[in-house]
Amino acid sequence: MAEHTARGTAAGELEDGRLLKELETIHRTRHETLLHGSDDALATHTQRLKELEEEYLRRHPSRATTAARTRTGARARTGAED
């Protein structure tokens, strides 16, 4: 059975679909927590966000990337040099 913490189920125990749902939710609530959450709420949110993102990256080390979301792509958009 999955271990539960005050922040929810441990990221490593989530099945892929649930992990993605948790990531979608936490990204959606990030801005409001930053602007209006207490220091403790923001610290907890940050810790959970990091845990979920690290688990996703562990499972998907070769995830697809979009060229525009790389340094080279950003420089191409702005015309900046290396």
Side-chain angles (χ1 to χ4, degrees):
M1 178 171 257
E3 177 185 335
H4 293 277
T5 66
R7 296 166 296 146
T9 302
E13 299 295 323
L14 296 170
E15 53 114 311
D16 282 346
R18 178 69 185 194
L19 176 62
L20 286 174
K21 286 231 179 254
E22 291 270 341
L23 281 165
E24 289 170 6
T25 299
I26 204 161
H27 283 120
R28 189 172 53 250
T29 60
R30 182 64 180 176
H31 188 73
E32 178 134 350
T33 304
L34 175 65
L35 295 179
H36 305 293
S38 67
D39 290 345
D40 285 343
L42 183 58
T44 299
H45 200 276
T46 300
Q47 185 177 18
R48 180 64 169 171
L49 177 68
K50 184 176 187 288
E51 177 188 8
L52 293 168
E53 287 182 344
E54 286 176 351
E55 180 61 21
Y56 181 84
L57 292 173
R58 185 189 70 75
R59 292 183 194 186
H60 305 281
S62 300
R63 71 193 192 286
T65 57
T66 302
R69 301 293 294 174
T70 65
R71 248 187 218 143
T72 302
R75 288 186 180 118
R77 275 194 317 273
T78 64
E81 299 283 324
D82 282 336

